[in-house]
């Protein structure tokens, strides 16, 4: 019993010290072979705040039906969807593989869980609109799913469909779930403090990160 209590207190102490910096993400880089094989398809898009946006790979189809933007999860990169995108490219879809902020070879050192990233999706939609007038959709998993829901709700005129996998309802809820899972402490005051402290370091509003609320404003079909 004492050993379990000590372990819980130790983990809690470490989390309290380190979690305020959890939005500063140390991430895997994309597979170098993917970059080498598709250098001609590499795209880097600037954001409204002037940071170098995602390193993207654009896979054009021969007779495209639509554009699909693929968004990976936390601590991932566009390689997560590479094989899926290849398959959909063969089926007639232009595919844009994206490294979200702070991931892979993209700019920025942090993630804001969709607070800034949803605007980045609008930039990508605008880029695709310069290439064709086809409908554009978002396919996102985990963090990418949260970004996708927020983008679909924020820019309903830009997106025609979505596929969302394994995402979260609100940032506060998912942090509390993970915090209580790893520490066994059921205290939202602590998890909320951790979020607010991290948000102060990285200058974003955590209350605004609510994919669940964004979903209410979506006007296109979404498969979840």
């Amino acid at each position: 019993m004492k050993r379990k209590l000590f372990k819980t207190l130790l983990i809690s102490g470490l989390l309290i010290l380190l979690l305020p910096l959890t939005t500063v993400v140390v991430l895997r880089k994309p597979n170098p072979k993917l970059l080498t094989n598709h250098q001609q398809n590499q795209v880097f898009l600037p954001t409204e705040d002037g940071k170098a946006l995602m390193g993207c790979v654009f896979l054009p189809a021969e007779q495209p039906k639509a554009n699909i933007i693929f968004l990976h999860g936390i601590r991932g990169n566009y390689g997560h969807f590479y094989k899926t995108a290849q398959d959909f490219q063969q089926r007639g879809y232009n595919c844009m593989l994206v490294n979200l902020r702070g991931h892979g070879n993209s700019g920025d050192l942090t993630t804001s869980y969709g607070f800034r990233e949803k605007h980045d999706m609008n930039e990508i939609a605008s880029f695709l609109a310069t290439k064709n007038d086809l409908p554009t959709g978002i396919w996102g998993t985990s963090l990418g799913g949260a970004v996708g829901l927020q983008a679909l709700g924020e820019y309903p005129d830009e997106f025609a469909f979505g596929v969302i996998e394994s995402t979260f309802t609100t940032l506060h809820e998912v942090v509390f779930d993970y915090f209580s899972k790893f520490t066994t402490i059921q205290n939202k005051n602590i998890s909320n403090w951790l979020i607010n402290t991290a948000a102060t370091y990285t200058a974003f509003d955590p209350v605004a990160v609510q994919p669940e609320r964004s979903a209410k404003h979506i006007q296109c079909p979404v498969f979840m």
Side-chain angles (χ1 to χ4, degrees):
M1 184 67 180
K2 289 182 178 180
R3 180 177 297 179
K4 183 177 180 180
L5 178 60
F6 174 77
K7 181 179 179 181
T8 299
L9 291 174
L10 178 61
I11 294 174
S12 301
L14 290 173
L15 286 171
I16 289 173
L17 290 173
L18 298 177
L19 277 182
L21 301 178
T22 54
T23 51
V24 180
V25 191
V26 179
L27 300 150
R28 293 173 291 143
K29 295 294 182 181
N31 186 329
K33 292 182 180 180
L34 298 184
L35 290 173
T36 302
N37 293 343
H38 294 283
Q39 284 182 338
Q40 71 276 17
N41 299 112
Q42 283 284 295
V43 179
F44 289 90
L45 300 176
T47 59
E48 293 179 350
D49 59 11
K51 294 186 180 293
L53 184 58
M54 300 137 274
C56 306
V57 168
F58 181 63
L59 303 179
E62 290 187 5
Q63 295 180 324
K65 309 169 187 175
N67 306 306
I68 305 176
I69 301 170
F70 289 92
L71 305 177
H72 59 78
I74 193 77
R75 296 187 62 80
N77 58 63
Y78 64 60
H80 173 84
F81 275 117
Y82 184 68
K83 291 184 178 180
T84 301
Q86 282 187 312
D87 183 45
F88 273 82
Q89 180 190 28
Q90 295 300 315
R91 294 170 185 267
Y93 293 89
N94 293 328
C95 298
M96 179 69 93
L97 292 153
V98 177
N99 281 327
L100 294 167
R101 290 176 182 240
H103 294 72
N105 60 348
S106 292
D108 212 341
L109 296 175
T110 65
T111 177
S112 62
Y113 303 97
F115 180 77
R116 285 185 279 268
E117 290 83 356
K118 63 178 180 284
H119 303 303
D120 297 340
M121 297 308 104
N122 184 49
E123 293 293 319
I124 292 176
S126 297
F127 167 78
L128 292 172
T130 66
K131 289 185 168 292
N132 57 63
D133 58 358
L134 297 171
T136 295
I138 296 177
W139 186 334
T141 185
S142 189
L143 170 63
V147 172
L149 284 176
Q150 292 172 80
L152 294 171
E154 182 77 13
Y155 299 100
D157 296 333
E158 299 298 326
F159 300 103
F161 59 92
V163 178
I164 306 297
E165 303 176 298
S166 304
T167 193
F168 56 87
T169 55
T170 72
L171 182 58
H172 282 85
E173 284 297 326
V174 72
V175 171
F176 171 72
D177 289 343
Y178 275 97
F179 178 78
S180 58
K181 175 183 177 180
F182 289 110
T183 68
T184 70
I185 297 175
Q186 303 286 324
N187 190 318
K188 285 192 173 183
N189 290 328
I190 298 177
S191 62
N192 288 343
W193 177 83
L194 293 170
I195 296 171
N196 294 333
T197 304
T200 299
Y201 276 99
T202 52
F204 77 94
D205 179 9
V207 176
V209 182
Q210 297 192 41
E212 180 181 51
R213 184 175 63 185
S214 298
K216 297 178 181 179
H217 302 286
I218 296 175
Q219 300 176 14
C220 64
V222 177
F223 182 76
M224 298 183 69

